[in-house]
Amino acid sequence: MQSVGAQEFRLHQLQDKVSVAAGKTLTLNCTTSGMVIAGAVRWLKGWGSENKTIYDQREKPLPRVTRAVAGSDTDFTIHISNVQPEDMGTYYCVKFVKGDTGQEEVFQRGNGTEVSVQAKPSPLLVSGPAERMRPGQSVSFTCRTGGFFPKEIVVKWFKNRDPMMVQQPQITEWGVKTYNMSSTVMVTLQKNDVPSQLTCEVLHSTLLAPLRGSFQLSRVLRVPPSVEVRAEPSPTELNKTVTFTCLVKEFYPAHVSVSWLENGVDLKVQNISQPRELHSGLFELRSQVEVQATEEKNGSTITCMVVHDAQAPANSSAFLWIYNPAQGESSKESQMLKDDMLIYIVVGVVCTVLALLVAAILYLIRTKQIKGKSSPSARLHEPEKSSEATTQESDPNNLTYADLNFDKERKTIRRMVEMSQQSEYACIQTNRAPNGDDNLTYADLDMVHLSKAPKRPAPRPEEASSEYASVQITRK
């Protein structure tokens, strides 16, 4: 009877593989057919020495395990609620019977059902540096998630809406059949990054929509202010009030304090200014202090000291300049005289330089002309006297000869002819010679007999186109 019953008993486990999302309910199907045989039906996770009992027909089920059909002798389907990644594995439906020794033995075993749990990535965690950084510095940001299955995952980064170039994420196995992911991106901070946002986006087969995490760059950005001090009016009249303005420009975050110093000593400021936000997300601040322009304060240094976001202080200074109106006119006249004197000196130096330059040019031109021309000359030659003639009385009417050399250029200066009762003269006139290599006019006067007629005026010089020469001989 038992052998016949054993042949008619059948255990059916038809599911080969089952995939379930984490947190959902897993259903494992197992039914029997044929004769009912004494012995328990159990569900085991794994097979061998490390198997684990999930459900036992004769014992109280685990908290997450329930029977699909309570009290049934043929349907041993179970439900496992709130499935977690650690529930992944192979499950077996097994029929046990008592053996000859009284111990339970495996009577029949199903083929096993491989269960995989589709685990969604955990919410993204995007982190940055622990301290604020200045514009121009390169900063790393990290996006993390974990507890997901399967392993395949895609990560993208965006700055505002612009995609960023990133390396492949690092994926490590964690726990039982789950994975963790870490992705890093480098960002060079800019001054205008206060409103900017980084976004990490993850795509996974368990997600109906991308998983996103964001990070505001303003959380790690520090923009130091520029500081400028202005004094109005400057210089100021004695005993008047001067307003010093401190401009603290384009800084972030808004944590800033301003103090005033006069020659290193604190000045009390009644009105404390508050930062004003700009469209760029940066801040600016304008602080003012009034100083009485007394005589002893002339030349004082007024300093604006700015401490931004608990950093080292920055400062800027201006001077308090004072003038006395009573001394103003004389000072102006003195200054005008100094200015006029300076102008005269400059003009005199310029004129002197120009005069020297002109003289140098004229000298160079004159030197060049002299080198290119022969100077006119007149030479009087005494007749050669022999030893015989030395005893003879010379003839008063005898005139020695003269060599006359002249330039062939037009003469524009009239030569004066000496008028004397004791002189006689001779006149030679030449027209312009034709062009040639020799540029001189030559005349020889030899034994010219001068008329002893009454003296008459020297002849009037010819036109400028003529050249002349006169020789006067004193009467002996």
mmCIF file of all heavy atoms in Angstrom, residues 304-344:
data_model
loop_
_atom_site.group_PDB
_atom_site.id
_atom_site.type_symbol
_atom_site.label_atom_id
_atom_site.label_comp_id
_atom_site.label_asym_id
_atom_site.label_seq_id
_atom_site.Cartn_x
_atom_site.Cartn_y
_atom_site.Cartn_z
ATOM 1 N N CYS A 304 38.875 102.308 6.607
ATOM 2 C CA CYS A 304 37.691 101.437 6.712
ATOM 3 C C CYS A 304 38.187 99.995 6.838
ATOM 4 O O CYS A 304 38.883 99.483 5.950
ATOM 5 C CB CYS A 304 36.804 101.589 5.480
ATOM 6 S SG CYS A 304 35.371 100.471 5.447
ATOM 7 N N MET A 305 37.844 99.325 7.930
ATOM 8 C CA MET A 305 38.272 97.957 8.196
ATOM 9 C C MET A 305 37.079 97.023 8.027
ATOM 10 O O MET A 305 36.043 97.211 8.659
ATOM 11 C CB MET A 305 38.822 97.845 9.617
ATOM 12 C CG MET A 305 39.473 96.509 9.926
ATOM 13 S SD MET A 305 41.087 96.322 9.145
ATOM 14 C CE MET A 305 42.013 97.575 10.040
ATOM 15 N N VAL A 306 37.250 96.002 7.152
ATOM 16 C CA VAL A 306 36.153 95.094 6.817
ATOM 17 C C VAL A 306 36.562 93.666 7.171
ATOM 18 O O VAL A 306 37.616 93.184 6.743
ATOM 19 C CB VAL A 306 35.800 95.179 5.317
ATOM 20 C CG1 VAL A 306 34.708 94.176 4.961
ATOM 21 C CG2 VAL A 306 35.364 96.593 4.963
ATOM 22 N N VAL A 307 35.724 92.996 7.964
ATOM 23 C CA VAL A 307 35.908 91.577 8.294
ATOM 24 C C VAL A 307 34.755 90.809 7.659
ATOM 25 O O VAL A 307 33.595 91.010 8.011
ATOM 26 C CB VAL A 307 35.947 91.347 9.816
ATOM 27 C CG1 VAL A 307 36.079 89.863 10.114
ATOM 28 C CG2 VAL A 307 37.090 92.127 10.449
ATOM 29 N N HIS A 308 35.105 89.925 6.712
ATOM 30 C CA HIS A 308 34.076 89.194 5.967
ATOM 31 C C HIS A 308 34.135 87.716 6.296
ATOM 32 O O HIS A 308 35.183 87.072 6.177
ATOM 33 C CB HIS A 308 34.283 89.398 4.458
ATOM 34 C CG HIS A 308 33.356 88.565 3.622
ATOM 35 N ND1 HIS A 308 33.796 87.581 2.773
ATOM 36 C CD2 HIS A 308 32.004 88.560 3.539
ATOM 37 C CE1 HIS A 308 32.769 87.015 2.180
ATOM 38 N NE2 HIS A 308 31.674 87.583 2.623
ATOM 39 N N ASP A 309 33.010 87.166 6.754
ATOM 40 C CA ASP A 309 32.831 85.743 6.987
ATOM 41 C C ASP A 309 33.955 85.173 7.860
ATOM 42 O O ASP A 309 34.491 84.098 7.579
ATOM 43 C CB ASP A 309 32.773 85.001 5.652
ATOM 44 C CG ASP A 309 32.187 83.602 5.793
ATOM 45 O OD1 ASP A 309 31.305 83.417 6.638
ATOM 46 O OD2 ASP A 309 32.635 82.703 5.053
ATOM 47 N N ALA A 310 34.326 85.931 8.894
ATOM 48 C CA ALA A 310 35.336 85.505 9.876
ATOM 49 C C ALA A 310 36.703 85.275 9.251
ATOM 50 O O ALA A 310 37.521 84.517 9.779
ATOM 51 C CB ALA A 310 34.871 84.242 10.603
ATOM 52 N N GLN A 311 36.970 85.949 8.135
ATOM 53 C CA GLN A 311 38.269 85.842 7.490
ATOM 54 C C GLN A 311 39.176 86.986 7.933
ATOM 55 O O GLN A 311 38.780 87.859 8.709
ATOM 56 C CB GLN A 311 38.105 85.857 5.967
ATOM 57 C CG GLN A 311 37.264 84.721 5.429
ATOM 58 C CD GLN A 311 37.824 83.366 5.788
ATOM 59 O OE1 GLN A 311 38.929 83.007 5.388
ATOM 60 N NE2 GLN A 311 37.058 82.594 6.562
ATOM 61 N N ALA A 312 40.409 86.983 7.440
ATOM 62 C CA ALA A 312 41.347 88.061 7.762
ATOM 63 C C ALA A 312 40.779 89.389 7.270
ATOM 64 O O ALA A 312 40.186 89.463 6.179
ATOM 65 C CB ALA A 312 42.696 87.788 7.103
ATOM 66 N N PRO A 313 40.934 90.479 8.041
ATOM 67 C CA PRO A 313 40.331 91.761 7.665
ATOM 68 C C PRO A 313 40.959 92.346 6.411
ATOM 69 O O PRO A 313 42.146 92.164 6.139
ATOM 70 C CB PRO A 313 40.585 92.649 8.892
ATOM 71 C CG PRO A 313 41.729 92.023 9.594
ATOM 72 C CD PRO A 313 41.635 90.562 9.337
ATOM 73 N N ALA A 314 40.133 93.064 5.670
ATOM 74 C CA ALA A 314 40.587 93.847 4.520
ATOM 75 C C ALA A 314 40.322 95.309 4.832
ATOM 76 O O ALA A 314 39.393 95.642 5.566
ATOM 77 C CB ALA A 314 39.843 93.424 3.252
ATOM 78 N N ASN A 315 41.153 96.214 4.291
ATOM 79 C CA ASN A 315 40.970 97.629 4.611
ATOM 80 C C ASN A 315 41.331 98.505 3.430
ATOM 81 O O ASN A 315 42.021 98.078 2.493
ATOM 82 C CB ASN A 315 41.804 98.022 5.839
ATOM 83 C CG ASN A 315 43.292 97.867 5.588
ATOM 84 O OD1 ASN A 315 43.918 98.696 4.958
ATOM 85 N ND2 ASN A 315 43.867 96.765 6.089
ATOM 86 N N SER A 316 40.862 99.748 3.505
ATOM 87 C CA SER A 316 41.184 100.778 2.530
ATOM 88 C C SER A 316 41.182 102.114 3.259
ATOM 89 O O SER A 316 40.445 102.287 4.242
ATOM 90 C CB SER A 316 40.171 100.777 1.378
ATOM 91 O OG SER A 316 40.489 101.787 0.442
ATOM 92 N N SER A 317 42.009 103.068 2.792
ATOM 93 C CA SER A 317 42.168 104.341 3.503
ATOM 94 C C SER A 317 42.083 105.513 2.555
ATOM 95 O O SER A 317 42.280 105.385 1.339
ATOM 96 C CB SER A 317 43.517 104.378 4.239
ATOM 97 O OG SER A 317 43.625 103.323 5.177
ATOM 98 N N ALA A 318 41.783 106.674 3.140
ATOM 99 C CA ALA A 318 41.807 107.951 2.427
ATOM 100 C C ALA A 318 42.351 109.003 3.397
ATOM 101 O O ALA A 318 42.320 108.828 4.613
ATOM 102 C CB ALA A 318 40.419 108.332 1.915
ATOM 103 N N PHE A 319 42.853 110.121 2.834
ATOM 104 C CA PHE A 319 43.446 111.176 3.660
ATOM 105 C C PHE A 319 42.489 112.360 3.794
ATOM 106 O O PHE A 319 41.705 112.651 2.877
ATOM 107 C CB PHE A 319 44.769 111.654 3.058
ATOM 108 C CG PHE A 319 45.828 110.595 3.054
ATOM 109 C CD1 PHE A 319 46.095 109.874 1.896
ATOM 110 C CD2 PHE A 319 46.551 110.307 4.194
ATOM 111 C CE1 PHE A 319 47.057 108.891 1.874
ATOM 112 C CE2 PHE A 319 47.535 109.333 4.191
ATOM 113 C CZ PHE A 319 47.779 108.612 3.029
ATOM 114 N N LEU A 320 42.578 113.023 4.939
ATOM 115 C CA LEU A 320 41.785 114.221 5.200
ATOM 116 C C LEU A 320 42.651 115.437 4.863
ATOM 117 O O LEU A 320 43.602 115.758 5.587
ATOM 118 C CB LEU A 320 41.344 114.257 6.663
ATOM 119 C CG LEU A 320 40.611 115.529 7.118
ATOM 120 C CD1 LEU A 320 39.340 115.737 6.303
ATOM 121 C CD2 LEU A 320 40.298 115.435 8.607
ATOM 122 N N TRP A 321 42.333 116.104 3.743
ATOM 123 C CA TRP A 321 43.090 117.283 3.330
ATOM 124 C C TRP A 321 42.240 118.531 3.571
ATOM 125 O O TRP A 321 41.070 118.568 3.203
ATOM 126 C CB TRP A 321 43.477 117.205 1.853
ATOM 127 C CG TRP A 321 44.376 116.047 1.526
ATOM 128 C CD1 TRP A 321 44.122 115.015 0.708
ATOM 129 C CD2 TRP A 321 45.691 115.832 2.042
ATOM 130 N NE1 TRP A 321 45.171 114.138 0.651
ATOM 131 C CE2 TRP A 321 46.169 114.630 1.469
ATOM 132 C CE3 TRP A 321 46.527 116.525 2.927
ATOM 133 C CZ2 TRP A 321 47.431 114.106 1.745
ATOM 134 C CZ3 TRP A 321 47.787 116.003 3.199
ATOM 135 C CH2 TRP A 321 48.225 114.814 2.617
ATOM 136 N N ILE A 322 42.863 119.547 4.197
ATOM 137 C CA ILE A 322 42.153 120.766 4.604
ATOM 138 C C ILE A 322 42.876 121.973 4.028
ATOM 139 O O ILE A 322 44.113 122.015 3.978
ATOM 140 C CB ILE A 322 42.098 120.874 6.149
ATOM 141 C CG1 ILE A 322 41.439 119.611 6.739
ATOM 142 C CG2 ILE A 322 41.336 122.116 6.577
ATOM 143 C CD1 ILE A 322 41.529 119.553 8.251
ATOM 144 N N TYR A 323 42.107 122.983 3.592
ATOM 145 C CA TYR A 323 42.709 124.240 3.151
ATOM 146 C C TYR A 323 41.990 125.389 3.838
ATOM 147 O O TYR A 323 40.821 125.309 4.192
ATOM 148 C CB TYR A 323 42.638 124.382 1.635
ATOM 149 C CG TYR A 323 41.257 124.708 1.097
ATOM 150 C CD1 TYR A 323 40.841 126.029 0.908
ATOM 151 C CD2 TYR A 323 40.371 123.685 0.776
ATOM 152 C CE1 TYR A 323 39.570 126.312 0.427
ATOM 153 C CE2 TYR A 323 39.112 123.947 0.292
ATOM 154 C CZ TYR A 323 38.712 125.277 0.121
ATOM 155 O OH TYR A 323 37.474 125.562 -0.355
ATOM 156 N N ASN A 324 42.745 126.518 4.029
ATOM 157 C CA ASN A 324 42.210 127.724 4.669
ATOM 158 C C ASN A 324 41.863 128.735 3.582
ATOM 159 O O ASN A 324 42.736 129.149 2.816
ATOM 160 C CB ASN A 324 43.249 128.317 5.621
ATOM 161 C CG ASN A 324 42.647 129.393 6.513
ATOM 162 O OD1 ASN A 324 41.647 130.019 6.162
ATOM 163 N ND2 ASN A 324 43.263 129.625 7.670
ATOM 164 N N PRO A 325 40.612 129.171 3.471
ATOM 165 C CA PRO A 325 40.232 130.125 2.407
ATOM 166 C C PRO A 325 41.026 131.416 2.454
ATOM 167 O O PRO A 325 41.291 132.029 1.423
ATOM 168 C CB PRO A 325 38.737 130.360 2.656
ATOM 169 C CG PRO A 325 38.290 129.181 3.449
ATOM 170 C CD PRO A 325 39.453 128.776 4.279
ATOM 171 N N ALA A 326 41.426 131.876 3.693
ATOM 172 C CA ALA A 326 42.173 133.135 3.794
ATOM 173 C C ALA A 326 43.526 133.015 3.117
ATOM 174 O O ALA A 326 44.062 133.985 2.584
ATOM 175 C CB ALA A 326 42.348 133.505 5.268
ATOM 176 N N GLN A 327 44.094 131.857 3.162
ATOM 177 C CA GLN A 327 45.386 131.650 2.530
ATOM 178 C C GLN A 327 45.246 131.108 1.120
ATOM 179 O O GLN A 327 46.242 130.946 0.427
ATOM 180 C CB GLN A 327 46.193 130.655 3.371
ATOM 181 C CG GLN A 327 46.441 131.141 4.798
ATOM 182 C CD GLN A 327 47.155 130.089 5.616
ATOM 183 O OE1 GLN A 327 47.320 128.966 5.172
ATOM 184 N NE2 GLN A 327 47.576 130.467 6.816
ATOM 185 N N GLY A 328 44.028 130.915 0.754
ATOM 186 C CA GLY A 328 43.816 130.309 -0.547
ATOM 187 C C GLY A 328 44.217 131.191 -1.703
ATOM 188 O O GLY A 328 44.837 130.754 -2.669
ATOM 189 N N GLU A 329 43.867 132.562 -1.602
ATOM 190 C CA GLU A 329 44.157 133.447 -2.729
ATOM 191 C C GLU A 329 45.658 133.591 -2.934
ATOM 192 O O GLU A 329 46.158 133.527 -4.055
ATOM 193 C CB GLU A 329 43.507 134.819 -2.493
ATOM 194 C CG GLU A 329 41.991 134.788 -2.458
ATOM 195 C CD GLU A 329 41.413 134.296 -3.764
ATOM 196 O OE1 GLU A 329 42.028 134.565 -4.820
ATOM 197 O OE2 GLU A 329 40.364 133.625 -3.732
ATOM 198 N N SER A 330 46.377 133.868 -1.819
ATOM 199 C CA SER A 330 47.825 134.028 -1.962
ATOM 200 C C SER A 330 48.464 132.747 -2.463
ATOM 201 O O SER A 330 49.408 132.767 -3.254
ATOM 202 C CB SER A 330 48.434 134.425 -0.609
ATOM 203 O OG SER A 330 48.160 133.421 0.358
ATOM 204 N N SER A 331 47.944 131.662 -2.005
ATOM 205 C CA SER A 331 48.486 130.389 -2.467
ATOM 206 C C SER A 331 48.233 130.209 -3.960
ATOM 207 O O SER A 331 49.096 129.745 -4.703
ATOM 208 C CB SER A 331 47.853 129.230 -1.692
ATOM 209 O OG SER A 331 48.158 129.346 -0.319
ATOM 210 N N LYS A 332 47.023 130.688 -4.371
ATOM 211 C CA LYS A 332 46.705 130.559 -5.799
ATOM 212 C C LYS A 332 47.622 131.449 -6.634
ATOM 213 O O LYS A 332 48.136 131.058 -7.684
ATOM 214 C CB LYS A 332 45.241 130.924 -6.047
ATOM 215 C CG LYS A 332 44.254 129.913 -5.504
ATOM 216 C CD LYS A 332 42.841 130.326 -5.813
ATOM 217 C CE LYS A 332 41.827 129.303 -5.261
ATOM 218 N NZ LYS A 332 40.439 129.706 -5.535
ATOM 219 N N GLU A 333 47.830 132.719 -6.165
ATOM 220 C CA GLU A 333 48.695 133.621 -6.911
ATOM 221 C C GLU A 333 50.114 133.081 -6.971
ATOM 222 O O GLU A 333 50.769 133.127 -8.017
ATOM 223 C CB GLU A 333 48.681 135.000 -6.245
ATOM 224 C CG GLU A 333 47.334 135.721 -6.345
ATOM 225 C CD GLU A 333 47.360 137.057 -5.632
ATOM 226 O OE1 GLU A 333 48.423 137.393 -5.077
ATOM 227 O OE2 GLU A 333 46.325 137.756 -5.644
ATOM 228 N N SER A 334 50.584 132.578 -5.822
ATOM 229 C CA SER A 334 51.930 132.012 -5.810
ATOM 230 C C SER A 334 52.025 130.844 -6.770
ATOM 231 O O SER A 334 53.007 130.700 -7.506
ATOM 232 C CB SER A 334 52.285 131.574 -4.396
ATOM 233 O OG SER A 334 53.533 130.927 -4.383
ATOM 234 N N GLN A 335 50.988 130.061 -6.762
ATOM 235 C CA GLN A 335 50.998 128.918 -7.665
ATOM 236 C C GLN A 335 50.961 129.364 -9.117
ATOM 237 O O GLN A 335 51.634 128.780 -9.984
ATOM 238 C CB GLN A 335 49.793 128.004 -7.358
ATOM 239 C CG GLN A 335 49.760 126.715 -8.165
ATOM 240 C CD GLN A 335 50.941 125.836 -7.865
ATOM 241 O OE1 GLN A 335 51.414 125.791 -6.732
ATOM 242 N NE2 GLN A 335 51.454 125.163 -8.877
ATOM 243 N N MET A 336 50.185 130.428 -9.397
ATOM 244 C CA MET A 336 50.126 130.938 -10.771
ATOM 245 C C MET A 336 51.485 131.478 -11.208
ATOM 246 O O MET A 336 51.921 131.255 -12.339
ATOM 247 C CB MET A 336 49.059 132.026 -10.877
ATOM 248 C CG MET A 336 47.629 131.501 -10.743
ATOM 249 S SD MET A 336 46.398 132.809 -10.770
ATOM 250 C CE MET A 336 46.647 133.437 -12.429
ATOM 251 N N LEU A 337 52.159 132.206 -10.271
ATOM 252 C CA LEU A 337 53.490 132.712 -10.607
ATOM 253 C C LEU A 337 54.451 131.561 -10.885
ATOM 254 O O LEU A 337 55.252 131.617 -11.831
ATOM 255 C CB LEU A 337 54.017 133.583 -9.456
ATOM 256 C CG LEU A 337 53.306 134.940 -9.266
ATOM 257 C CD1 LEU A 337 53.856 135.626 -8.034
ATOM 258 C CD2 LEU A 337 53.474 135.820 -10.501
ATOM 259 N N LYS A 338 54.354 130.547 -10.056
ATOM 260 C CA LYS A 338 55.212 129.395 -10.282
ATOM 261 C C LYS A 338 54.904 128.742 -11.623
ATOM 262 O O LYS A 338 55.817 128.349 -12.358
ATOM 263 C CB LYS A 338 55.019 128.384 -9.155
ATOM 264 C CG LYS A 338 55.559 128.850 -7.814
ATOM 265 C CD LYS A 338 55.336 127.785 -6.748
ATOM 266 C CE LYS A 338 55.868 128.254 -5.394
ATOM 267 N NZ LYS A 338 55.630 127.237 -4.332
ATOM 268 N N ASP A 339 53.617 128.673 -11.935
ATOM 269 C CA ASP A 339 53.236 128.065 -13.218
ATOM 270 C C ASP A 339 53.746 128.906 -14.382
ATOM 271 O O ASP A 339 54.268 128.367 -15.373
ATOM 272 C CB ASP A 339 51.715 127.914 -13.297
ATOM 273 C CG ASP A 339 51.186 126.911 -12.277
ATOM 274 O OD1 ASP A 339 52.007 126.126 -11.769
ATOM 275 O OD2 ASP A 339 49.984 126.939 -11.990
ATOM 276 N N ASP A 340 53.586 130.278 -14.268
ATOM 277 C CA ASP A 340 54.064 131.155 -15.342
ATOM 278 C C ASP A 340 55.573 131.043 -15.500
ATOM 279 O O ASP A 340 56.097 130.980 -16.630
ATOM 280 C CB ASP A 340 53.671 132.609 -15.056
ATOM 281 C CG ASP A 340 52.162 132.808 -15.130
ATOM 282 O OD1 ASP A 340 51.488 131.914 -15.723
ATOM 283 O OD2 ASP A 340 51.655 133.813 -14.604
ATOM 284 N N MET A 341 56.285 131.070 -14.369
ATOM 285 C CA MET A 341 57.733 130.968 -14.428
ATOM 286 C C MET A 341 58.155 129.654 -15.079
ATOM 287 O O MET A 341 59.088 129.615 -15.891
ATOM 288 C CB MET A 341 58.323 131.054 -13.006
ATOM 289 C CG MET A 341 59.852 131.039 -12.980
ATOM 290 S SD MET A 341 60.559 132.461 -13.849
ATOM 291 C CE MET A 341 60.051 133.767 -12.723
ATOM 292 N N LEU A 342 57.439 128.610 -14.743
ATOM 293 C CA LEU A 342 57.752 127.321 -15.343
ATOM 294 C C LEU A 342 57.532 127.347 -16.852
ATOM 295 O O LEU A 342 58.344 126.814 -17.619
ATOM 296 C CB LEU A 342 56.887 126.237 -14.704
ATOM 297 C CG LEU A 342 57.090 124.805 -15.217
ATOM 298 C CD1 LEU A 342 58.524 124.362 -14.982
ATOM 299 C CD2 LEU A 342 56.124 123.844 -14.543
ATOM 300 N N ILE A 343 56.457 128.036 -17.271
ATOM 301 C CA ILE A 343 56.178 128.139 -18.711
ATOM 302 C C ILE A 343 57.292 128.909 -19.403
ATOM 303 O O ILE A 343 57.789 128.511 -20.473
ATOM 304 C CB ILE A 343 54.816 128.809 -18.937
ATOM 305 C CG1 ILE A 343 53.693 127.879 -18.434
ATOM 306 C CG2 ILE A 343 54.616 129.129 -20.420
ATOM 307 C CD1 ILE A 343 52.318 128.518 -18.487
ATOM 308 N N TYR A 344 57.730 130.058 -18.792
ATOM 309 C CA TYR A 344 58.797 130.856 -19.391
ATOM 310 C C TYR A 344 60.079 130.035 -19.511
ATOM 311 O O TYR A 344 60.792 130.108 -20.529
ATOM 312 C CB TYR A 344 59.055 132.107 -18.555
ATOM 313 C CG TYR A 344 57.891 133.090 -18.558
ATOM 314 C CD1 TYR A 344 57.636 133.908 -17.471
ATOM 315 C CD2 TYR A 344 57.041 133.169 -19.673
ATOM 316 C CE1 TYR A 344 56.583 134.791 -17.464
ATOM 317 C CE2 TYR A 344 55.975 134.045 -19.671
ATOM 318 C CZ TYR A 344 55.739 134.865 -18.567
ATOM 319 O OH TYR A 344 54.699 135.733 -18.574
#
